[in-house]
Amino acid sequence: MRLPFGCGGAGTAQEGSAEESGLAAADWTVDRKAIQLRMMPGDWAGSTLLAKAGTSAKWEAVEGFWIPYPWLGSETCPAVQTDPLQTGSSPASPQTLGIAAVFEAGGSRLGRRNGRAYEYTVHATDEAPLTWPKAGFRMVLEGRVTAFPNDKAIACRAAGPDQRPVCIVAAHLDRVAFEDSDGSTLGEWRPG
């Protein structure tokens, strides 16, 4: 799965800040000579939604990744068309779909982030100053879907019948990477 981010430029509100867990973000470094890519997985082990799926006894760690544009069928940044009748910017929709990277109790600790972010710094490749890529970046998640302890691969919960549910997919991740808009790997992490 390729998740676009950095689409609207540095630190766009829709993608959250680098401190918001579970969402990839991109921002200029202080000197504006490099672009910092960062994603802090959320600690979802104590989530009420996942507790109902019976995770507390079987899994000792659950690291969460939000899918920022689950309604898109594309792996690229969404095209934005402005509405001339709308003034100001509309607030971002709440996150409704996530991937839970699960780690079984007593299992291997390789691949776990344990509160560390995935980070990569993009530097200029020549003497020309670095410019923000119009097509942003992508975070790549590779692995396989697995089942929660209740034998279901997806857990969902809604606050009420007229609210969109929040759904989480259980997965074992084999690779996490940052890519540029051309699909070139900038940095990657694999267990082991």
Side-chain angles (χ1 to χ4, degrees):
M1 176 175 288
R2 284 177 170 74
L3 309 174
F5 71 101
C7 298
T12 58
Q14 190 168 13
E15 291 163 359
S17 67
E19 286 75 36
E20 187 171 358
S21 62
L23 285 173
D27 212 343
W28 287 106
T29 56
V30 175
D31 61 5
R32 294 190 62 85
K33 292 184 179 181
I35 299 171
Q36 181 70 42
L37 309 181
R38 187 171 200 272
M39 202 302 253
M40 173 65 78
D43 180 1
W44 293 357
S47 162
T48 304
L49 174 62
L50 298 184
K52 287 186 177 187
T55 61
S56 59
K58 185 175 180 183
W59 294 335
E60 74 180 15
V62 180
E63 297 178 349
F65 300 78
W66 288 113
I67 300 173
Y69 307 104
W71 54 86
L72 294 179
S74 172
E75 297 176 338
T76 60
C77 289
V80 178
Q81 296 177 343
T82 58
D83 182 352
L85 300 177
Q86 182 160 348
T87 58
S89 62
S90 57
S93 295
Q95 300 304 321
T96 58
L97 182 60
I99 303 287
V102 298
F103 301 91
E104 293 183 11
S108 174
R109 295 183 181 275
L110 296 175
R112 286 176 54 174
R113 298 305 294 170
N114 295 324
R116 293 172 299 148
Y118 294 94
E119 294 181 296
Y120 183 82
T121 304
V122 179
H123 297 280
T125 56
D126 53 24
E127 296 297 319
L130 186 63
T131 58
W132 196 271
K134 291 180 183 177
F137 301 95
R138 293 185 204 125
M139 178 165 217
V140 179
L141 302 176
E142 289 181 10
R144 62 192 183 286
V145 174
T146 189
F148 286 104
N150 65 4
D151 292 329
K152 296 181 180 179
I154 301 172
C156 296
R157 185 184 69 138
D162 57 346
Q163 298 292 316
R164 289 182 187 159
V166 173
C167 295
I168 306 296
V169 179
H172 287 288
L173 293 180
D174 298 322
R175 178 178 178 252
V176 175
F178 287 129
E179 290 181 345
D180 63 16
S181 59
D182 295 327
S184 298
T185 300
L186 300 172
E188 72 176 4
W189 298 264
R190 295 177 185 265

